[in-house]
Amino acid sequence: MSTSSVPRPDPAAPSGAALRRPAPRRIARRRIPEGTRTALALFAAVRLAGVAVVIAVNHLTGRPLVRNLAHSWDSRWYLHIATHGYEHLIRITPTGGVQIDWAFFPLYPGLIRALDTVLPLTPGEAAVLVAWAAAGAAAYGLYVLGHHLYGRAVATALVGLWAVLPHAVELTIAYTESLFSALAVWSLYCVLRGRWLWAGSLAALAGLCRPTGCAVAAAVAVAAVHEAVRRRGRVPAALWAGTLLAPLGWIGYILWVGHRTGDLLHGYFTVQSAWNSRFDLGIGALRFVKVLALHGGHVVYPVALVIVLTAVVLFGLLCLDRAPLALVVFAGVLLLLVVGGSGSFSSKPRFLLPVFPLLIPPARALARTWRTRPAHVLLMGGALAAVSLLYGAYVTVVAHSPL
C-alpha cells in the first residue's frame, strides 16, 4: 500500500471544536484489466477479416454471400429447433440410420428463439448474432483469465492465438463453439477466483450447450475437492453448492432425452450412436489414421490429424508448465473426449476450439519472445492470421467435409 493511502491524523483542533474523522479515501480499482481493449480489437479485426474472406469466396464461387455463416451443416438443425422445437426433424441416412434432433443440446437454439422473438431478425441472423456476441464474451474472458494468471503480455498472446487458429472461423458462424467457449472460460475464471456459485452456474449452462459440457463440470468438481482437501474441509458452503450445481445442465438434458426415448439412462447415447458419435477409446480415430496412411485424403483430413496431434503435445506442455488444476482437468477431459470419440475426423479441430488452456504454453513463449524480438512475433502472427483466414474460408465454403 502506498503511503498516500494511509490515513494521517488531523491537525490539532481548536478548543471546543468537534473532532471529525477524516473522510475515508477511496482507492480506485481497475475493473477492466489493462490492455483489454487492444486484445479485443485484435480479436475482432482478425475474425471480422475472416468473415469478409468467407463472403468474398462465396462471391467468387457464385454462392449466396452470407449463407455459409448461418446455414452450414449442423447450423440447419439448430435453426430448425429454434423455429419448430424438438421432434420435428428426422433424417434417414444412406445406411438406414435414423438421426433425430435430440442429439443437439437446447441452449443455443433457445437463445436464437429468444432473440428472434424480441428483435426483427430472421432465425439465421439471430443465430449469427448470438455466435458473434458469445465469441466476444469468450475473448474477453480469455484475456481476463490470462491477465489474472500471467499478466498483460501473455493474455494478449492468448487471445491472439485463439483468433488465428486454423478453424477459428467456426467461432463466427452459427455453431455452438463460441457460446460453449464463453461459458467455459468464465466458469473456470470463477473457479480461480473462488466464486463457486458462479462457477457452478456457468458450468451448468455449458452443460446445456454441448455434450462436452461435462468437462467444465469435471473441472469445477476436481478443483473444489482439491480446495477442500487443501484447506482441511474449512471451505464455504458455496463451494459445495457450486460443485453440485455444475453438472445439472448436462445430466438434466441427457435424462430428458432418455425419458423421451423410453430409456432413461441410455436413450441419449442411443440417439448419438445414430450419428456415429460415441466414445470408443480412440478405436475409430486409429482406423481413420490407418485409412489415411494407406489411401490418403484431401487436405482437410491430414490437417485435422496434425491439429489433433499438436493438441496432444500442447497438453503435455500445459502439464509441465504446472498450470492451475482446473485448467488442466478441463483441457484433459475435453481432449480425451475428442481423441477417444468416433465420428467424422474432420470435425475434431472444431471440437478443440474451446480447449483454450492448450494455448497457454505457446502464449507464454510468444510473450517472452516479444520482449527481445517483436518483429519475429509480428511476422509469425501475420503468417498464422493469413493461414487462418484462407483455411477458414476453404473449410467453410469450398471443402465438402463436415465442419
Side-chain angles (χ1 to χ4, degrees), residues 167-399:
H167 285 70
V169 67
E170 292 166 18
L171 296 172
T172 46
I173 65 175
Y175 267 68
T176 56
E177 271 62 37
S178 56
L179 179 60
F180 179 70
S181 297
L183 295 169
V185 68
W186 281 107
S187 176
L188 295 175
Y189 174 71
C190 289
V191 168
L192 298 178
R193 297 301 302 268
R195 300 169 182 171
W196 296 101
L197 280 178
W198 275 108
S201 300
L202 292 168
L205 289 175
L208 286 172
C209 183
R210 288 194 56 78
T212 48
C214 60
V216 189
V220 173
V222 172
V225 171
H226 178 266
E227 181 70 5
V229 171
R230 187 180 68 85
R231 297 176 58 177
R232 299 182 179 179
R234 299 185 181 92
V235 293
L239 179 144
W240 299 119
T243 303
L244 293 175
L245 188 62
L248 292 186
W250 185 79
I251 293 174
Y253 183 69
I254 286 179
L255 292 179
W256 180 82
V257 173
H259 172 71
R260 301 298 296 176
T261 62
D263 186 352
L264 187 64
L265 297 181
H266 303 100
Y268 172 78
F269 302 102
T270 301
V271 169
Q272 284 284 25
S273 294
W275 288 83
N276 193 29
S277 177
R278 64 181 69 87
F279 187 74
D280 60 3
L281 298 176
I283 294 175
L286 291 176
R287 289 174 179 167
F288 162 79
V289 173
K290 180 180 177 181
V291 171
L292 185 64
L294 293 176
H295 306 288
H298 62 81
V299 65
V300 170
Y301 293 102
V303 170
L305 178 59
V306 170
I307 290 174
V308 170
L309 294 177
T310 302
V312 173
V313 173
L314 288 176
F315 179 71
L317 294 176
L318 181 72
C319 295
L320 293 176
D321 272 0
R322 297 183 179 179
L325 179 62
L327 302 186
V328 174
V329 172
F330 170 70
V333 172
L334 198 44
L335 183 61
L336 179 63
L337 292 174
V338 172
V339 175
S342 60
S344 175
F345 207 92
S346 63
S347 298
K348 291 186 183 295
R350 172 170 65 88
F351 299 154
L352 289 171
L353 280 174
V355 199
F356 63 88
L358 299 181
L359 299 177
I360 289 177
R364 297 184 68 185
L366 282 177
R368 290 192 296 267
T369 305
W370 175 261
R371 300 188 189 102
T372 56
R373 298 177 177 179
H376 291 64
V377 175
L378 292 176
L379 179 61
M380 182 182 301
L384 290 174
V387 171
S388 176
L389 300 184
L390 295 175
Y391 190 72
Y394 175 77
V395 297
T396 307
V397 179
V398 179

